[in-house]
Amino acid sequence: MSENKTDASQLVGTATAGQIADWKRKHGDIFKAEVGDSVCYLKKPDRKTMSYVATLGNNPVRANEALLQNCWLGGDESIKTDDDKFFGVSAKLNEIVEIREAEISKL
């Protein structure tokens, strides 16, 4: 996030409150990623997406591209094409993958 921003509505790609509410109803948790003067909105990845991303594990850039593309809901498209913006968001993509702690007990 840029520290000199004063108004979130100045970000390129800002969604309306109604659009965000629609996404939340359809997808559950929604994430907002800001980089420079741009913003995008992402949903949590599903198992199919994570399975595909895992096949690209030996190519982390391609894996991040796939994760971003498959979780993308809206925002400034330049985040997908501008290397600086892409790498900025890529560094935070792991935060949308929530892994719950499990316990296993022998019975």
Side-chain angles (χ1 to χ4, degrees), residues 90-105:
S90 290
K92 297 291 188 173
L93 283 177
N94 64 323
E95 294 179 22
I96 69 172
V97 181
E98 179 182 341
I99 300 174
R100 293 190 179 180
E101 188 72 28
E103 292 185 31
I104 296 179
S105 303

Side-chain angles (χ1 to χ4, degrees), residues 5-51:
K5 284 194 307 276
T6 57
D7 185 3
S9 65
Q10 293 175 354
L11 295 172
V12 178
T14 300
T16 65
Q19 182 64 61
I20 292 169
D22 287 345
W23 287 331
K24 283 183 175 183
R25 273 192 296 281
K26 185 174 181 182
H27 303 288
D29 292 335
I30 301 300
F31 300 89
K32 178 171 89 170
E34 295 179 26
V35 58
D37 63 348
S38 300
V39 63
C40 68
Y41 302 88
L42 307 168
K43 64 180 180 172
K44 286 176 32 174
D46 57 17
R47 191 181 316 192
K48 182 177 177 182
T49 297
M50 291 307 296
S51 177

Side-chain angles (χ1 to χ4, degrees), residues 27-84:
H27 303 288
D29 292 335
I30 301 300
F31 300 89
K32 178 171 89 170
E34 295 179 26
V35 58
D37 63 348
S38 300
V39 63
C40 68
Y41 302 88
L42 307 168
K43 64 180 180 172
K44 286 176 32 174
D46 57 17
R47 191 181 316 192
K48 182 177 177 182
T49 297
M50 291 307 296
S51 177
Y52 176 62
V53 169
T55 67
L56 303 169
N58 61 343
N59 186 338
V61 173
R62 183 66 188 113
N64 281 335
E65 286 174 337
L67 186 58
L68 183 65
Q69 183 64 37
N70 283 285
C71 294
W72 186 271
L73 294 174
D76 184 2
E77 293 286 327
S78 74
I79 292 172
K80 295 179 189 177
T81 58
D82 179 286
D83 286 347
D84 291 335

